[in-house]
Amino acid sequence: SREDSAYVIFTSGSTGTPKGVEVPHRALTNLLWSMARQPGFGAADTLVAVTTIAFDIAGLELFLPLVTGGRLVIASRDEVKGGFGLVKLLDSAGATVLQATPALWRILLEAGFKPRPGLKMLCGGEAFA
């Protein structure tokens, strides 16, 4: 049912005490279809996933292309780490969507990333500094 858990993620949240948080199907479904509508993601789009599976935003990266018929390209740890490999991957994959933290966007800029028309750039997961 929509109330059943889609997955459990472990977090310390603001308390510092580790705990498991159940994410229901309805929450994941709402996120995916909302993002498909706005900012928009469809069958012609390619998302490059850069987030480790341990973080909740990985659900968006992995499942959004699958539920919309789009394309998913999973970046390797090495491609993400230095930024230069990720810049190349974004171009070679024809990425139309990338979600990254402010820190990763900084790394990409330092590696020579130049935003191009048609690339939806999402940012979150940590405070802007």
Side-chain angles (χ1 to χ4, degrees):
S1 88
R2 291 175 39 85
E3 297 305 315
D4 289 339
S5 295
Y7 60 91
V8 175
I9 190 161
F10 288 87
T11 178
S12 63
S14 58
T15 66
T17 303
K19 61 187 171 292
V21 177
E22 294 181 63
V23 178
H25 280 273
R26 68 178 160 71
L28 179 59
T29 301
N30 182 51
L31 171 67
L32 296 173
W33 291 117
S34 294
M35 293 298 288
R37 279 190 305 276
Q38 191 65 265
F41 192 94
D45 286 304
T46 298
L47 186 146
V48 172
V50 297
T51 306
T52 174
I53 194 75
F55 291 100
D56 59 350
I57 200 67
L60 173 74
E61 290 182 337
L62 297 175
F63 297 125
L64 182 61
L66 298 177
V67 301
T68 59
R71 186 168 163 246
L72 170 64
V73 175
I74 301 174
S76 71
R77 180 61 119 198
D78 286 341
E79 287 169 322
V80 173
K81 199 174 192 179
F84 293 98
L86 186 53
V87 169
K88 288 180 188 173
L89 179 61
L90 292 170
D91 289 334
S92 67
T96 59
V97 176
L98 177 65
Q99 182 292 132
T101 62
L104 183 54
W105 283 114
R106 264 187 241 100
I107 290 169
L108 284 168
L109 290 171
E110 290 170 7
F113 171 75
K114 302 280 188 237
R116 65 178 188 285
L119 177 63
K120 293 175 186 151
M121 299 178 287
L122 308 176
C123 188
E126 64 188 29
F128 287 98

